[in-house]
Structures are given as structure tokens and as C-alpha cells.
Amino acid sequence: LERIRKDFVANVSHELRTPVATLRSLAEALLMGGNEDTEVRDQFLQAIADEAERMGKLLETLLELAQLEAGRREWHWQSVLVSDCVAQVAERFKPFAEQKGLTLTVRAEPTLRVRTDPEALTQILSNLLDNAVKYTERGEITVVAERVETADGDWIAIHVRDTGVGIPREHLSRIFERFYRVDKARSRQQGGFGLGLSIAKHLAESLGGKITVQSEVGKGSTFSLWLPTGSQEGNG
């Protein structure tokens, strides 16, 4: 626990160090006369606004993660039609996929229902689809929702499959850790903090479920959200 705490503080410090340094250098440049050129001034001010927004998002995400881990999030349980929820999330990401020339398709059994928190379910699927779009350069993303019977129970499974870069096997056991990135440079370039999968995992477990991943480098990844058909209230 002490190691985790120290790693967390070090990671937060590292994530904040770069935008703080950028803000300082931009402000200093403006103070030293950069504001005299209106075009340069506007560029610097926009960069300052962008960095401030990124810092704000990081702090909001950290607060959300802290609330989850402390069991302070409020849950609103109700019966959810899975196909509707999946379709709504997919529709939001379709424009981003199409901008990259990707095909985004949804296959969901029309009558699937699960008792869950719809906002949490939407957030999990959004995190998974966001990653799929970010790390897929060509091909397709497919979301499949189905009922699956396994040895340990009856589940509603929602699979997010992509034809992206894939994840090396040695990283698979760690990708749900806070701040963990497979490709640090690429993740930062894409605007990620390495927190989305950690939040998705906590949400899934609070809903009585789990998230699993299968991946092959160069061929793509499949992230699967598993929720018990009668998802149990009170796990959060």
C-alpha cells in the first residue's frame, strides 16, 4: 500500500509537471513582449487555455477515481435495455471513427436487459470505445452485446473489438493500473492520462461485474464487460 501511495503521488506530480511548465513558459513569453504581436499573443493564449483545460480534466478524473475507491459514489439502479445504451454510446463515437476512415458497427440482442446504473454503464462503454477509436488506424470497431452462459453464471457480455495496434502480452496484466500506459509517448499525444481503464474496472466491479481483455499485437484488441444478468445492488 505504501508503494502504491508513493507511485500515485509520483505519477500525479509527473502528469502536472509538464502542463505547469508549459503554462509558466507561455506566461513568461507574454510578459517579455510576446503580447505585442496579436497573432502570437492569440496562439499563446489558446495554448494556455488548452493546458488549463487538460489540467482541469486530470483533476476531475482523479477526484472521480478517489470517490470510487472510497465508495462514495451514488448509484442509481434501474432496468436498462442494453441495446439502447450501446447504440447511444456508439452513435456519439461514430463521427470520430468516420474521421479516421473506420467502420463502427453494433450488434446487440434487442431484448437484453440488465439491472444496473445506466450512467456508470455508459461511462464504461465510453472509455472502451474512446480507446478503440484512438488506437485503431484502419479497419473496424465492433460492439457486440449478448447473453453468455458460463460455468460461473449467466452474464450479459458487451464486447468492444478493434483492429488496432494491439497490446503486447507482457502489458496485459497491468493495463488497468492507474496511470499505466503501454506506449507513453503515444498516449500523451492522444491526450490520455492512463486512468480511463482503471475507472472502467472500478465501475464494472462496483456493478457486480468485471472487464477482461484479449489482444494480439498488430491485429487488435477485445475488451469485454461482463455484468451478471441480475447485477447486484450494493456492491458499490
Side-chain angles (χ1 to χ4, degrees):
L1 286 173
E2 181 65 16
R3 182 186 62 80
I4 291 172
R5 186 189 68 79
K6 288 180 178 178
D7 287 349
F8 179 71
V9 171
N11 281 320
V12 171
S13 300
H14 181 74
E15 290 296 330
L16 290 174
R17 188 178 296 121
T18 299
V20 167
T22 302
L23 288 171
R24 182 184 296 119
S25 63
L26 289 168
E28 288 174 351
L30 288 172
L31 288 170
M32 293 172 64
N35 61 338
E36 295 173 3
D37 184 325
T38 56
E39 185 176 346
V40 171
R41 181 194 63 201
D42 290 348
Q43 289 177 354
F44 281 15
L45 289 174
Q46 184 60 56
I48 288 172
D50 292 343
E51 290 296 337
E53 182 180 2
R54 177 174 167 78
M55 288 177 66
K57 285 181 179 177
L58 172 59
L59 295 173
E60 287 175 10
T61 305
L62 287 171
L63 178 60
E64 180 180 9
L65 188 55
Q67 289 175 331
L68 273 173
E69 292 181 338
R72 293 175 183 166
R73 174 168 175 149
E74 291 186 8
W75 303 92
H76 305 282
W77 296 84
Q78 61 189 68
S79 177
V80 175
L81 188 61
V82 176
S83 58
D84 280 357
C85 184
V86 170
Q88 288 170 10
V89 176
E91 196 62 32
R92 195 175 346 137
F93 283 90
K94 233 169 200 175
F96 303 108
E98 290 173 352
Q99 284 176 10
K100 299 181 70 173
L102 305 173
T103 302
L104 175 55
T105 57
V106 174
R107 298 200 306 271
E109 295 180 18
T111 59
L112 283 183
R113 282 190 172 275
V114 65
R115 185 163 181 78
T116 190
D117 182 314
E119 183 180 338
L121 177 57
T122 296
Q123 190 172 356
I124 294 170
L125 294 177
S126 295
N127 282 340
L128 297 182
L129 266 171
D130 184 49
N131 274 357
V133 173
K134 281 180 179 175
Y135 297 107
T136 304
E137 297 302 327
R138 63 181 62 86
E140 61 183 349
I141 297 167
T142 307
V143 185
V144 178
E146 60 184 351
R147 182 186 294 269
V148 180
E149 293 183 9
T150 68
D152 60 347
D154 196 6
W155 301 84
I156 302 297
I158 305 174
H159 313 284
V160 178
R161 300 183 178 124
D162 65 59
T163 55
V165 294
I167 303 166
R169 183 176 298 178
E170 64 269 23
H171 293 282
L172 288 175
S173 63
R174 300 195 60 191
I175 58 172
F176 294 103
E177 294 179 15
R178 296 178 299 186
F179 293 108
Y180 191 80
R181 295 179 174 103
V182 175
D183 184 339
K184 293 180 174 59
R186 183 185 175 99
S187 293
R188 286 197 178 88
Q189 186 181 17
Q190 298 282 4
F193 300 115
L195 292 171
L197 288 177
S198 180
I199 288 176
K201 174 179 178 287
H202 277 286
L203 287 171
E205 290 174 351
S206 296
L207 296 177
K210 60 186 177 182
I211 295 180
T212 59
V213 58
Q214 294 178 313
S215 188
E216 188 172 346
V217 174
K219 293 190 175 180
S221 306
T222 299
F223 284 85
S224 299
L225 168 64
W226 303 81
L227 295 174
T229 52
S231 278
Q232 309 140 15
E233 299 181 33
N235 287 354

